């Protein structure tokens, strides 16, 4: 089971929007050095919505190659078309990803049965560990704990990223799935409590900026060390908030650029962080020791 601080990696871009492989390699080395437990390539934070299919698969391959087996790589391969999700997942397996993260189909609002059949179809088509991803705030689709429980019976569906921020779901999902099913939070602000309640890790945005602290905080929470986890999380609290001051990944890409790890590149319809937000994000970065 992949556990701990799993960073939803930004996709570095040049100012013209081209993917910057040199900076991507630099980021991978930075995270391994800082203790990040695993990386997600081309998730929401990695701008999956603005990369075309070839770029999407190319970035996954590049991350796998740069990591070179040192930590697990999870590939973002979700789509609102089942056939597209199957294709992306198959290609991620081909390039050596350790697992795939599949968001619930967005915009088309499938029923719970539709969600079950969608994820079942992908799991049956591609033999690779698969992690469900529930983020109704972005997809307008909430996968209920009962549906997750049904899907957990499929052998290669191994976990869920639950990004509702609803801590009551930790116990609900655990009771419906069992101890061998991984529960990850996708909500940085509640990640400490999620892991103290029995979660296995955080698929984190904040970890892009303060990877060492997030790793230490999540490790402490998984181990039940509340006092240590709370003390570390206090340093991260402002960052958890300000990295969502505008739509993700706008603030986090600005922060990573501010750290000198990549250029000021983002793709439309996303825009660069507006100047009125700079001080708030900088202050939060200072509190976390990122600058």
């Amino acid at each position: 089971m992949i556990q701990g601080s799993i960073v939803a990696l930004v996709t570095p871009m040049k100012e013209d929007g081209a993917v910057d492989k040199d900076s991507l390699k630099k980021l991978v080395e930075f995270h391994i050095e800082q203790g990040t437990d695993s990386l997600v390539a081309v998730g929401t934070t990695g701008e999956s919505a603005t990369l075309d299919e070839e770029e999407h698969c190319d970035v996954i391959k590049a991350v796998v190659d740069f990591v070179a087996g040192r930590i697990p790589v999870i590939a973002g391969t979700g789509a609102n078309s089942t056939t597209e999700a199957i294709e992306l997942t198959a290609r991620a397996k081909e390039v050596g990803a350790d697992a795939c993260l599949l968001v619930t189909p967005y915009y088309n609002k499938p029923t719970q049965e539709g969600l079950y059949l969608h994820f079942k179809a992908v799991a049956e088509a591609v033999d690779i560990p698969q992690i469900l991803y529930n983020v109704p705030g972005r997809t307008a689709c909430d996968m209920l704990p009962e549906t997750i429980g049904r899907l957990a019976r499929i052998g290669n569906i191994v976990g869920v990223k639950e990004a509702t921020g609803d801590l009551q779901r930790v116990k609900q999902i655990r009771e419906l799935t069992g101890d061998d099913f991984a529960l990850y939070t996708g909500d940085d602000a509640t990640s400490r409590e999620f892991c103290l309640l029995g979660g296995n890790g955080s698929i984190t945005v904040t970890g892009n900026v303060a990877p060492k602290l997030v790793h230490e905080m999540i490790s402490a929470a998984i181990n039940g060390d509340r006092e240590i986890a709370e003390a570390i999380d206090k340093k991260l609290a402002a960052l958890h908030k300000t990295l969502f001051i505008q739509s993700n990944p706008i603030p986090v890409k600005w922060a990573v650029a501010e750290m000198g790890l990549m250029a000021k590149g983002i793709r439309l319809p996303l825009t660069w962080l507006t100047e009125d937000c700079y001080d708030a994000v900088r202050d939060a970065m200072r509190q976390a020791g990122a600058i």
Side-chain angles (χ1 to χ4, degrees):
M1 183 188 289
I2 298 170
Q3 297 196 84
S5 174
I6 303 162
V7 173
L9 192 65
V10 296
T11 299
M13 296 171 182
K14 300 175 184 177
E15 291 195 31
D16 64 1
V19 174
D20 183 351
K21 293 274 189 70
D22 291 337
S23 293
L24 184 61
K25 184 175 183 179
K26 186 191 298 184
L27 285 177
V28 167
E29 294 302 324
F30 170 69
H31 282 290
I32 291 173
E33 176 189 304
Q34 293 289 308
T36 292
D37 295 293
S38 177
L39 292 171
V40 172
V42 202
T44 305
T45 308
E47 286 178 84
S48 55
T50 65
L51 299 181
D52 65 33
E53 186 173 322
E54 287 306 313
E55 290 174 318
H56 189 124
C57 297
D58 191 42
V59 171
I60 292 169
K61 184 180 186 305
V63 174
V64 170
D65 290 347
F66 295 150
V67 166
R70 290 174 288 175
I71 58 175
V73 175
I74 302 168
T77 60
N80 59 355
S81 157
T82 304
T83 53
E84 183 180 352
I86 290 170
E87 173 64 21
L88 288 171
T89 304
R91 294 189 65 179
K93 180 184 178 181
E94 286 171 10
V95 301
D98 296 284
C100 290
L101 177 68
L102 292 109
V103 71
T104 54
Y106 40 86
Y107 190 76
N108 49 23
K109 294 186 177 181
T111 63
Q112 295 301 305
E113 184 65 14
L115 289 172
Y116 173 76
L117 293 172
H118 167 81
F119 287 113
K120 180 174 180 285
V122 181
E124 289 177 346
V126 189
D127 185 17
I128 188 173
Q130 296 178 23
I131 300 163
L132 313 170
Y133 177 13
N134 187 42
V135 57
R138 279 191 177 263
T139 62
C141 171
D142 185 9
M143 182 164 50
L144 299 178
E146 292 76 14
T147 303
I148 296 169
R150 289 178 71 194
L151 287 164
R153 299 180 198 126
I154 298 169
N156 59 328
I157 295 181
V158 298
V160 63
K161 176 184 177 182
E162 172 57 47
T164 61
D166 181 357
L167 292 171
Q168 293 183 354
R169 289 198 175 188
V170 182
K171 182 180 179 182
Q172 287 179 295
I173 297 170
R174 179 63 76 207
E175 288 176 348
L176 290 163
T177 58
D179 292 338
D180 293 336
F181 191 78
L183 304 187
Y184 308 113
T185 179
D187 181 61
D188 277 299
T190 58
S191 60
R192 180 193 73 230
E193 288 303 312
F194 186 100
C195 291
L196 283 166
L197 288 168
N200 301 104
S202 174
I203 298 180
T204 168
V205 175
T206 303
N208 280 281
V209 181
K212 187 172 187 291
L213 278 188
V214 174
H215 164 76
E216 290 172 352
M217 186 270 287
I218 295 298
S219 294
I222 289 172
N223 291 326
D225 297 327
R226 176 174 288 279
E227 187 175 344
I228 294 172
E230 287 180 348
I232 299 170
D233 205 28
K234 188 174 181 180
K235 300 175 185 177
L236 295 166
L239 205 53
H240 295 330
K241 181 178 179 181
T242 58
L243 289 182
F244 296 90
I245 200 168
Q246 291 182 354
S247 297
N248 180 46
I250 291 171
V252 70
K253 291 200 87 173
W254 182 90
V256 175
E258 188 76 357
M259 294 164 71
L261 293 170
M262 63 177 225
K264 298 177 179 179
I266 202 164
R267 286 191 182 177
L268 288 171
L270 299 175
T271 52
W272 202 238
L273 188 70
T274 54
E275 193 170 349
D276 60 312
C277 296
Y278 289 5
D279 287 346
V281 180
R282 276 200 195 104
D283 287 346
M285 292 171 73
R286 288 190 188 101
Q287 287 182 46
I291 55 173

